[in-house]
Amino acid sequence: GDTLLMQKQPALALKKYETAWRLQNSGPLAIKLYNAKLLSGKPVEADAGLLDWLKQHPDDAASRAYLAQSAMERGNYKLANTHYAKLLEKSPNNILLLNNYAWSLQHAGDARALDYAERAYKLAPDNTAVMDTLAEILMGRGQTKRAIQLFQQALSKVPDNTEIEYHYIQALEKSGDTVHARSELERLLASGVAFSHESEARTLLKQLQGRAN
């Protein structure tokens, strides 16, 4: 199954995992089944299978965390938030869980996002991912001054992080500093480094250039 998955044949991999599952169950295999179903275009079946496993094995934190992160990445914030909340009941100071929960709550429009982001930042003030999440949430609430400070702080540690750089540019634009935002955006796009928001960034640059003209 693992070999077939590496060869990008998830449907065939799924069959092997299902055979293995009939022989012996385990948390790691439950995750592999889940992943193979997702890659085979069966997200509903994947979620149902792993949820069933978790009902029978509620203390399997690894499988629960995998489900939560996958749900978050797929935009199923309700499912993600349910399981991040359960994970945090037993690991209330886990930085990764706090940070992901804050991010997921924010995208679900839940006001508690800021509280969890602040908790993560208090525990790990030098963690750039935590700074980025907190700053994004603050930016969404109009607190651009502190957001900019956090983005700058993060970029001083990881100056080549294009995602954080773009978030910083967005904060500059929201604060009204369009000249600085345009300058930073032109420099970022001229670097030739690909990043996930590149298309969005080019649209923003056109808007900023249009305002300048």
Side-chain angles (χ1 to χ4, degrees):
D2 292 348
T3 300
L4 287 165
L5 211 57
M6 289 174 62
Q7 294 173 346
K8 302 188 186 304
Q9 300 183 66
L12 293 177
L14 178 56
K15 290 181 180 179
K16 297 300 180 185
Y17 290 143
E18 287 173 337
T19 300
W21 187 258
R22 287 193 290 271
L23 296 170
Q24 185 175 350
N25 301 166
S26 70
L29 183 54
I31 290 173
K32 290 183 179 186
L33 267 169
Y34 175 78
N35 195 36
K37 288 174 182 176
L38 282 182
L39 293 172
S40 298
K42 301 176 179 180
V44 175
E45 186 181 326
D47 287 340
L50 197 50
L51 284 168
D52 184 59
W53 168 260
L54 287 169
K55 283 181 183 177
Q56 300 171 51
H57 303 84
D59 294 328
D60 184 355
S63 294
R64 193 178 300 280
Y66 196 93
L67 173 62
Q69 179 153 347
S70 172
M72 179 181 69
E73 291 172 351
R74 289 182 288 125
N76 189 343
Y77 302 116
K78 182 178 179 180
L79 180 62
N81 293 337
T82 296
H83 292 280
Y84 277 129
K86 289 183 179 180
L87 288 162
L88 282 165
E89 286 175 5
K90 294 190 175 182
S91 302
N93 295 324
N94 184 299
I95 305 302
L96 177 61
L97 294 178
L98 286 168
N99 190 60
N100 284 1
Y101 191 35
W103 193 92
S104 187
L105 285 170
Q106 173 70 4
H107 284 76
D110 192 313
R112 295 175 298 161
L114 182 58
D115 177 54
Y116 282 95
E118 292 282 17
R119 282 171 58 181
Y121 182 64
K122 185 176 180 179
L123 290 166
D126 293 325
N127 186 303
T128 56
V130 168
M131 291 179 207
D132 184 47
T133 297
L134 176 55
E136 278 200 84
I137 292 171
L138 289 168
M139 181 171 61
R141 284 162 169 69
Q143 299 181 43
T144 53
K145 184 177 180 180
R146 187 178 173 211
I148 288 170
Q149 291 173 342
L150 283 166
F151 285 134
Q152 290 173 330
Q153 189 179 346
L155 287 168
S156 71
K157 297 177 180 296
V158 286
D160 296 327
N161 189 307
T162 53
E163 298 299 326
I164 296 179
E165 172 69 13
Y166 181 60
H167 296 157
Y168 170 54
I169 291 166
Q170 287 180 305
L172 288 172
E173 190 271 335
K174 282 183 177 294
S175 74
D177 191 354
T178 55
V179 173
H180 190 185
R182 187 175 72 251
S183 173
E184 288 291 318
L185 193 50
E186 288 172 342
R187 183 185 61 78
L188 175 61
L189 291 170
S191 70
V193 178
F195 59 103
S196 62
H197 296 289
E198 187 173 348
S199 176
E200 181 183 327
R202 293 190 182 281
T203 299
L204 177 59
L205 180 58
K206 287 181 181 179
Q207 292 172 354
L208 293 173
Q209 290 171 335
R211 291 181 204 172
N213 295 331

